[in-house]
Amino acid sequence: MEGTGVDVNTPVKTTVGPSLKLQRVLAMILLLCQGGITVTGSLVRVTGSGLGCNTWPLCHEGSLVPVPGAAPAIHQAIEFGNRMLTFVVAAAAVAVTVAVYRAQRRWHVKLLGLLSIAGVALQALLGGISVLVNLHWWAVAVHFLPSMVLVWIAAVLYMRISEPDDAPVVTRYDGSARTAVVVAAVALSFVLVTGTMVTGSGPHSGDSGVGMEGRLALDTEILAYVHAACMYIYLISTLVAVYQLRRSQAPMDAFNTALVLVAMIVVQWAVGVTQFYLGVPRWTVPLHIAMSSVVVAFSAFLWAHGKRRMA
């Protein structure tokens, strides 16, 4: 795949079941779905549609689908549509898992597929909880963060599918570079957590009827500065990883992935700065969420490059 440093020509022995190409396509679809549903979730938030369906698993009491007049029609459509997308993500997770099982791939690949399915089910439950507690900030944060974990899992799955099952594991860059990559990933987790706190204290509660009730009672500007500090630490950590990769003459696919990651972090930083100075306009939120998924995916790609099965 262009830009990820993944070698599409790596041979994999699959004697039965779906072809390698189909497995990779399904894995990429899953990755896009995992990232995409976070964007539609942000659209629910910024349009105030979070309680367009005010219960769970039903949309309204006694009805699985939207009810005319129970809430503004557009809010019901957006929230119900986002719920329905869960089934699309679930279908993608099931499809890739069935594919790797039928192709008799190694246990690690199968496990990543099963974790994806379990994660989608967990996310549906967490989404329901966030509705039942009227979109309290902590529930929304708990709903978002596992999505980033699922993006990471899907990205690693995409990488691992391309590896030969019977080949030995090869360390592709040295310990110092790998340590730097892991430190950067840990820093990324702090960026994501503090980002949910900024959102939790900010103006977009997720539903116009909720207002500021159930919001995080901390100063949004201070939280934004803490979030920015975590972002700078993450960027510096990633730059250190780039330096270590270059110094240790790491394979070019890994090094190029690191460079793309740095570029994506800079884009995400620019979006965040724009949000801060413009007062978090609605249009910036889905873009910021989308870039979070991109950054997480490329961080996972870079980490997965560290040790791979090579023919």
Side-chain angles (χ1 to χ4, degrees), residues 3-289:
T4 65
V6 180
D7 182 5
V8 297
N9 296 315
T10 302
V12 178
K13 293 182 180 179
T14 53
T15 57
V16 296
S19 66
L20 171 62
K21 181 179 179 179
L22 178 58
Q23 294 173 53
R24 289 171 58 82
V25 168
L26 292 174
M28 178 51 65
I29 290 173
L30 174 60
L31 176 56
L32 294 174
C33 286
Q34 295 286 23
I37 199 168
T38 65
V39 177
T40 61
S42 71
L43 290 174
V44 171
R45 169 174 289 277
V46 299
T47 58
S49 304
L51 296 180
C53 289
N54 59 11
T55 188
W56 186 90
L58 302 178
C59 182
H60 297 287
E61 194 67 36
S63 177
L64 180 62
V65 299
V67 176
I74 185 64
H75 290 176
Q76 293 194 65
I78 292 174
E79 168 61 12
F80 187 72
N82 186 60
R83 292 188 181 191
M84 291 300 98
L85 285 177
T86 300
F87 294 101
V88 176
V89 183
V94 169
V96 70
T97 303
V98 169
V100 297
Y101 264 88
R102 290 189 58 199
Q104 299 181 10
R105 302 304 305 273
R106 63 188 183 278
W107 73 268
H108 186 200
V109 174
K110 295 176 182 176
L111 176 62
L112 291 172
L114 292 174
L115 288 175
S116 296
I117 295 175
V120 173
L122 175 62
Q123 276 294 71
L125 178 61
L126 293 175
I129 291 173
S130 69
V131 170
L132 295 176
V133 299
N134 290 325
L135 307 179
H136 275 234
W137 78 271
W138 58 264
V140 177
V142 170
H143 187 38
F144 169 75
L145 293 173
S147 291
M148 296 296 97
V149 175
L150 292 176
V151 168
W152 181 285
I153 290 173
V156 174
L157 174 60
Y158 179 79
M159 292 282 285
R160 296 306 183 221
I161 280 178
S162 66
E163 300 172 6
D165 290 334
D166 55 355
V169 176
V170 176
T171 299
R172 305 188 70 234
Y173 49 75
D174 67 15
S176 60
R178 190 163 182 83
T179 298
V181 169
V182 171
V183 169
V186 172
L188 172 59
S189 68
F190 282 97
V191 173
L192 296 171
V193 171
T194 56
T196 64
M197 295 176 70
V198 174
T199 302
S201 66
H204 303 304
S205 64
D207 187 88
S208 56
V210 172
M212 294 304 290
E213 182 180 350
R215 310 296 289 149
L216 177 59
L218 293 175
D219 185 87
T220 302
E221 185 172 349
I222 292 176
L223 288 174
Y225 283 125
V226 173
H227 179 55
C230 292
M231 171 64 83
Y232 286 122
I233 292 172
Y234 172 49
L235 176 58
I236 292 170
S237 300
T238 306
L239 289 173
V240 170
V242 171
Y243 169 76
Q244 294 290 357
L245 290 167
R246 184 67 173 177
R247 183 191 62 80
S248 62
Q249 298 182 332
M252 284 304 299
D253 55 0
F255 183 72
N256 289 339
T257 300
L259 293 180
V260 174
L261 174 58
V262 170
M264 295 301 99
I265 295 172
V266 171
V267 172
Q268 179 71 315
W269 166 84
V271 174
V273 170
T274 301
Q275 284 186 311
F276 182 81
Y277 285 106
L278 294 183
V280 197
R282 295 179 187 275
W283 64 267
T284 63
V285 176
L287 179 58
H288 202 48
I289 293 297

